[in-house]
Amino acid sequence: MSVIEVFFAVEVANMERATAFYVNALGATVAFASPGWSSLRIAGVRIGLALNPMHEGGRTGLHFAVSDLVAARSDVQGAGGRTGEAVEVAPGVIVAEATDTEGNTFTITPREGSTP
């Protein structure tokens, strides 16, 4: 036995709204879509969206390294999400918390050498 892929899944209350968010805010491509499960690719990584109409949001453990943090925060907000201010959490480590349209919280951080 060998592991051939690892992916991450997040629950969403509204599949269409959540899929649109990840496509518009983070440039996801839709590999598979259905009312109960959708499979997206972002930067070569698969993220599953699992429908749970009772989902109320929470921390996901997702972290996105971006080329331009200001633009990423703007894209998240433009797609219906929310972002906090960028914060230096350790010397040279800047992160901003973001929340998708389903209440799922993740972080965005500028990739080393990019625009904070």
Side-chain angles (χ1 to χ4, degrees):
M1 189 285 297
S2 61
V3 175
I4 57 171
E5 181 184 26
V6 176
F7 66 92
F8 199 83
V10 295
E11 290 188 344
V12 300
N14 182 303
M15 186 63 70
E16 288 183 25
R17 180 178 62 207
T19 300
F21 171 82
Y22 284 95
V23 167
N24 294 321
L26 298 166
T29 57
V30 179
F32 173 81
S34 75
W37 174 267
S38 291
S39 182
L40 311 177
R41 287 217 176 264
I42 301 174
V45 175
R46 184 160 64 115
I47 298 175
L49 302 180
L51 182 65
N52 174 357
M54 303 304 289
H55 180 64
E56 296 182 9
R59 290 205 170 276
T60 63
L62 287 171
H63 303 274
F64 297 96
V66 299
S67 60
D68 184 329
L69 184 58
V70 172
R73 290 179 62 227
S74 177
D75 290 345
V76 165
Q77 293 168 7
R82 299 183 313 274
T83 64
E85 294 296 320
V87 177
E88 188 170 19
V89 295
V93 179
I94 298 168
V95 300
E97 286 200 347
T99 304
D100 69 12
T101 54
E102 309 310 296
N104 296 308
T105 301
F106 56 91
T107 62
I108 46 180
T109 185
R111 184 170 195 176
E112 191 172 314
S114 64
T115 305

